[in-house]
Amino acid sequence: MSFHSLEGRPWTRAQESTRCTLGLIEDMGKMKDKDVDAEDHGKGQRSPKLCGTNYPVSIAFIVVNEFCERFSYYGMKAVLTLYFIHYLNWDKDLSTAVYHAFSSLCYFTPLLGALIADSWLGKFKTIIYLSIVYVIGHVVKSVGAIPDVGDSTLHIALSMVGLVLIAFGTGGIKPCVAAFGGDQFDEENTEERTKFFSIFYMSINAGSVLSTIVTPILRGDVKCFGGDCYALAFGVPAALMVIALVVFISGSGLYKKSPPEGNVLVRVCKCIGFAIQNRWRNSKKSPKKSHWLDWAEEKYPKRLIQEIKMVFRVLVLYIPLPMFWALFDQQGSRWTLQATRMNMDFGGGFILKPDQMQMLNALLILVFIPIFDMGIYPLIGLCRIKLTPLRKMAVGMILAAIAFCAATVVEINVIKTVVEPSPAKESLVQVYNLMDSDVTVQFPGHTVFSDPLKPNEDPSGYTSLPLTGESQLYTVTVIHNGAESQCELTFTERTAYSLFLHTAQSGDIVCKLVNDHITKSETGAAYLRFINTHTENINITVGTDEFYAAANYGISQNISVPRGEYNGVVCETNSNQYHIDLGLLDFGAFYTVILSKKSEGLTTIKMEDIQANNIHITWQIPQYVFLTAGEVMFSITGLEFSYSQAPASMKSVLQAGWLMTVAFGNVIVLIVAEGAGMEQWAEFLLFAGLLVAVSIIFSIMAYFYTYVDPDQLDKTFREDTDDEKVKSSDSKKKETVSLTDMPKQTKM
């Protein structure tokens, strides 16, 4: 039976597909074998139905619980990378590494949740207890985002403890909720159960899309504690998880609660361990076996051993798969960071947040699944091209690699507006001429500024200045109106400077060297500073930010302000108040505004030190399109293939294997982010190249793979059982004949 027909419709997000589908498959298998025994209900007792339908009332609680839990998880995760960078002040590489370490842990812990549910507590209690852990993790994480609570060390500690608890909570309940929902249906209501899973998938999708839209707004548009409100952005998902837990507990009296029945994964591991141990002990004494697993025949049934062999054939094909997930899960880390350096204005006052772009994947999934199922695949079939599941997966890998090639092209264009820090033994410098006529600036031994600089002219950009060591003293010659003046200035390597030239009241030339901040804001904010040529001190209010520029060429601090139009900005001196128009302060730009007193009031000259982000965020759409198309062909097809090639009793083993590929994929990103030390565009290209290489290896493995029919295993063992019954029947007949042929004995 195909995977789609089992589900009724495919899943909306690849990461959720495993637990949802396994729940349905597992439930159907259990229904075939035996009735569900209830802990609190009688064996034949049925739960109340919704409005005269065959849908149990209890599933309403489960669907609402799932919506709230997915909102909680994806909402928290959407702002996580920017939280690391702006709140914990980590660099991009460390933030990416920790983000993927957390994602990896979220896909290791489902194994623990499945073991607890199947071997100890049962699904219901496992969901309750681990949801409590989940809530505690959210609360701890939210408290860690409050600046007034402790210092930075405590913030980091609380954040890490909170993330670990969240990972155990979300991962632990991952394999339980969908299967528990399937348990609520009676054996004969298979159609209703299938429709339930469709509703269940919609709740997943709705929760993830809505949270990815809402939590970035809470982070960026709501200000608290003097900055972005991460405490609120984490607090709302925490509240949703509390609601999820309360709703789930509220339906307690309506649930069918199956007792723990043992975990097949544990049995498989024990069988494998016994085979290895037995082979090690007896390999020299006993004759060779056709397969190393056959050494377990002394203790375990042949059918189980044969099923494990079939599973191993599929698990071998899983080996290259983590590389796909290494690329796929960078939507929330590297791609979000790329979006922060792009233009996010869609006009009409609508500005997208960089961490909202991730919602595009979930939306495209809804569009692409019917397009592929009802359009692309049938057209390929009409062209008489045999597109096997493994070929689809290989094509999905190639599409993901193309997505990262597209991301590379975007990144190369994005960094054109970025000023790269100077390397060792070099500084960056730009010169402002604030005098009334042209000046010429000469650095001894260098021709960095050969052309005269016009008054109040916007600098052309930073120029590299070579140094002889870590720092160097330069005697700079400034020529103004034929008169020469010299300034002694010290430059330090890896530092950017602005050199301001103006005349003092005495007529002498003044050289003022200022250290510059050149790193663009990760939130798309603009940086702004003022130079006050007026004879009075000036206080400037830009939005909610305050600037102070001292009189006589005083320079204010360089402060980030949200992108926007700033007209009617208030400037106050001791004697007067002025209003100035700054116009648009665009995404990622650095501005220097010169304030001068004229007879009509205060005048401004706005200069752009660093160019604004001029690549629009819509250029990320192609990479999301290719990656989502790759997800449809890779993830959905991969699970279809896996379950079609393994016995029904081994589905949970394959679930564990599939989750491990996602976990190890995130580990790959963690290693590359911390160890490669490459420029971002080169890192994107590296991942694309690695995935192409892996797809070639996978294609070779797929070429030699022989498809099997797991149902044949049932037929084989059924025939063996029938043969044994026939032999047993024949032996009984012979025994009967021999007894009748014996002479009768005399009674005593």
Side-chain angles (χ1 to χ4, degrees):
M1 185 182 294
S2 74
F3 209 46
H4 283 265
S5 62
L6 276 172
E7 297 178 3
R9 64 180 288 275
W11 50 89
T12 58
R13 298 198 59 139
Q15 292 94 331
E16 307 301 331
S17 60
T18 311
R19 66 173 180 160
C20 300
T21 308
L22 258 293
L24 180 56
I25 293 174
E26 189 175 324
D27 292 335
M28 294 181 72
K30 288 179 181 177
M31 293 298 183
K32 290 178 183 177
D33 295 336
K34 60 181 180 178
D35 294 333
V36 177
D37 293 328
E39 292 172 359
D40 298 331
H41 298 276
K43 186 171 181 179
Q45 188 173 345
R46 302 188 176 208
S47 53
K49 306 296 182 182
L50 279 169
C51 303
T53 66
N54 289 323
Y55 292 95
V57 175
S58 56
I59 66 167
F61 296 91
I62 295 172
V63 169
V64 174
N65 165 269
E66 182 65 11
F67 169 83
C68 294
E69 189 274 327
R70 288 295 85 186
F71 187 108
S72 169
Y73 175 75
Y74 282 111
M76 178 276 303
K77 199 176 179 185
V79 300
L80 195 57
T81 300
L82 297 184
Y83 170 78
F84 291 151
I85 291 175
H86 297 297
Y87 186 83
L88 298 183
N89 297 316
W90 291 348
D91 60 35
K92 294 180 181 179
D93 291 338
L94 179 59
S95 301
T96 300
V98 175
Y99 175 90
H100 287 282
F102 167 70
S103 298
S104 179
L105 185 59
C106 288
Y107 285 95
F108 279 120
T109 50
L111 298 181
L112 179 63
L115 288 173
I116 293 173
D118 290 343
S119 305
W120 183 25
L121 295 177
K123 298 185 188 74
F124 175 75
K125 290 182 179 178
T126 300
I127 295 171
I128 293 290
Y129 295 155
L130 291 182
S131 292
I132 293 172
V133 173
Y134 203 162
V135 169
I136 294 172
H138 269 301
V139 172
V140 171
K141 186 80 181 66
S142 302
V143 172
I146 300 175
D148 295 342
V149 178
D151 56 7
S152 59
T153 304
L154 182 61
H155 295 158
I156 294 172
L158 290 174
S159 298
M160 295 304 100
V161 171
L163 287 177
V164 170
L165 293 176
I166 290 171
F168 275 96
T170 187
I173 68 175
K174 193 182 288 288
C176 301
V177 180
F180 186 71
D183 287 347
Q184 306 310 305
F185 290 86
D186 297 324
E187 182 179 355
E188 63 271 15
N189 301 136
T190 54
E191 183 179 349
E192 286 79 5
R193 188 190 298 114
T194 301
K195 290 180 180 178
F196 158 73
F197 276 90
S198 295
I199 299 170
F200 192 83
Y201 302 143
M202 289 303 297
S203 69
I204 292 171
N205 188 73
S208 62
V209 172
L210 190 61
S211 64
T212 311
I213 295 172
V214 171
T215 51
I217 293 174
L218 298 175
R219 171 195 62 78
D221 292 350
V222 180
K223 300 298 178 183
C224 61
F225 305 106
D228 285 352
C229 201
Y230 287 102
L232 181 63
F234 291 137
V236 170
L240 264 292
M241 191 57 219
V242 172
I243 294 172
L245 178 58
V246 171
V247 168
F248 187 77
I249 293 175
S250 300
S252 176
L254 302 171
Y255 297 137
K256 287 183 179 179
K257 303 166 189 175
S258 303
E261 300 169 349
N263 190 285
V264 68
L265 184 60
V266 174
R267 195 178 182 207
V268 168
C269 292
K270 287 181 178 180
C271 180
I272 294 171
F274 181 79
I276 294 172
Q277 184 181 19
N278 201 25
R279 181 184 181 185
W280 179 261
R281 290 177 178 175
N282 303 313
S283 56
K284 295 181 180 180
K285 305 174 184 177
S286 305
K288 290 185 177 181
K289 305 278 188 180
S290 59
H291 193 281
W292 62 273
L293 275 170
D294 292 335
W295 288 96
E297 288 179 350
E298 297 178 11
K299 187 175 180 181
Y300 293 92
K302 290 184 178 180
R303 182 187 177 95
L304 175 64
I305 295 171
Q306 191 62 33
E307 288 176 344
I308 296 174
K309 290 178 183 178
M310 296 176 70
V311 168
F312 262 100
R313 295 178 73 250
V314 178
L315 291 180
V316 169
L317 288 175
Y318 280 4
I319 294 173
L321 304 191
M323 185 52 67
F324 175 87
W325 298 113
L327 277 69
F328 181 83
D329 277 349
Q330 290 189 52
Q331 296 173 80
S333 55
R334 294 302 202 195
W335 284 15
T336 297
L337 294 176
Q338 184 185 69
T340 63
R341 293 173 284 127
M342 303 179 77
N343 189 323
M344 294 166 276
D345 184 15
F346 282 82
F350 175 65
I351 298 175
L352 193 72
K353 300 287 189 296
D355 33 2
Q356 287 178 323
M357 198 65 180
Q358 304 167 52
M359 69 179 177
L360 193 58
N361 172 253
L363 294 176
L364 286 174
I365 279 286
L366 290 176
V367 175
F368 280 179
I369 286 176
I371 289 176
F372 274 80
D373 283 348
M374 295 183 289
I376 295 177
Y377 291 154
L379 284 175
I380 293 174
L382 290 175
C383 296
R384 296 183 179 179
I385 298 174
K386 189 177 182 181
L387 198 59
T388 63
L390 294 179
R391 289 177 182 174
K392 288 181 184 178
M393 293 177 68
V395 172
M397 290 182 179
I398 297 298
L399 289 173
I402 294 173
F404 267 67
C405 290
T408 302
V409 174
V410 171
E411 183 68 21
I412 289 172
N413 286 278
V414 163
I415 62 177
K416 289 179 180 178
T417 65
V418 176
V419 176
E420 294 294 336
S422 57
K425 295 187 177 181
E426 283 188 21
S427 288
L428 296 176
V429 62
Q430 62 178 356
V431 180
Y432 289 85
N433 176 14
L434 305 183
M435 293 187 278
D436 55 3
S437 60
D438 293 358
V439 298
T440 301
V441 180
Q442 297 176 348
F443 284 79
H446 303 286
T447 57
V448 289
F449 298 102
S450 55
D451 298 329
L453 303 174
K454 298 186 180 300
N456 296 322
E457 182 181 42
D458 200 345
S460 58
Y462 286 93
T463 302
S464 179
L465 180 67
L467 307 176
T468 56
E470 293 183 0
S471 63
Q472 183 177 344
L473 177 66
Y474 272 99
T475 302
V476 180
T477 301
V478 181
I479 304 173
H480 178 242
N481 292 334
E484 291 189 4
S485 180
Q486 292 184 331
C487 305
E488 291 190 345
L489 304 171
T490 301
F491 294 86
T492 305
E493 65 178 359
R494 306 179 192 274
T495 308
Y497 296 94
S498 286
L499 175 59
F500 295 95
L501 305 175
H502 65 88
T503 53
Q505 293 180 350
S506 61
D508 295 333
I509 295 176
V510 178
C511 303
K512 182 177 287 188
L513 191 65
V514 178
N515 283 26
D516 282 354
H517 173 76
I518 60 172
T519 304
K520 288 198 172 191
S521 168
E522 298 293 349
T523 60
Y527 275 90
L528 179 65
R529 65 182 172 185
F530 293 90
I531 302 175
N532 178 19
T533 66
H534 190 30
T535 55
E536 291 184 275
N537 300 334
I538 300 179
N539 292 291
I540 309 107
T541 303
V542 181
T544 58
D545 297 296
E546 300 287 339
F547 294 79
Y548 170 76
N552 299 316
Y553 296 92
I555 303 173
S556 73
Q557 286 186 314
N558 204 346
I559 300 175
S560 67
V561 295
R563 186 259 191 193
E565 291 273 354
Y566 292 90
N567 297 317
V569 173
V570 177
C571 300
E572 292 183 341
T573 65
N574 292 331
S575 61
N576 210 338
Q577 185 181 85
Y578 306 92
H579 291 84
I580 60 173
D581 293 335
L582 297 178
L584 176 65
L585 302 182
D586 211 352
F587 291 109
F590 284 61
Y591 297 98
T592 297
V593 178
I594 302 171
L595 302 175
S596 303
K597 180 68 174 69
K598 302 294 181 183
S599 57
E600 64 274 11
L602 205 62
T603 62
T604 62
I605 300 174
K606 186 172 74 171
M607 300 182 180
E608 190 177 60
D609 303 339
I610 297 178
Q611 187 179 356
N613 302 341
N614 58 7
I615 305 299
H616 201 269
I617 199 168
T618 51
W619 283 104
Q620 275 198 329
I621 292 177
Q623 62 201 58
Y624 274 97
V625 169
F626 281 116
L627 189 67
T628 307
E631 179 189 4
V632 171
M633 297 195 72
F634 176 87
S635 181
I636 296 176
T637 308
L639 282 170
E640 282 185 18
F641 163 78
S642 301
Y643 295 132
S644 70
Q645 296 296 292
S649 60
M650 292 287 120
K651 305 302 182 186
S652 59
V653 179
L654 285 175
Q655 178 191 25
W658 187 265
L659 292 173
M660 289 300 99
T661 66
V662 183
F664 283 113
N666 281 276
V667 171
I668 293 172
V669 185
L670 190 158
I671 294 170
V672 173
E674 278 295 288
M678 307 169 69
E679 291 188 42
Q680 191 56 67
W681 67 268
E683 186 180 295
F684 283 158
L685 204 57
L686 171 66
F687 275 111
L690 288 174
L691 188 56
V692 169
V694 166
S695 67
I696 293 172
I697 295 171
F698 179 78
S699 299
I700 295 171
M701 295 171 67
Y703 179 79
F704 290 101
Y705 181 83
T706 303
Y707 288 83
V708 297
D709 181 10
D711 293 337
Q712 190 65 34
L713 190 67
D714 294 333
K715 190 182 296 184
T716 301
F717 278 93
R718 194 180 300 118
E719 289 174 355
D720 290 345
T721 305
D722 292 342
D723 290 343
E724 290 177 4
K725 288 181 179 178
V726 169
K727 290 179 181 178
S728 176
S729 176
D730 290 344
S731 63
K732 287 181 178 179
K733 286 181 179 178
K734 289 179 181 178
E735 185 178 348
T736 305
V737 170
S738 61
L739 286 173
T740 54
D741 291 343
M742 287 179 64
K744 294 180 179 180
Q745 294 182 351
T746 308
K747 290 182 179 180
M748 295 293 295

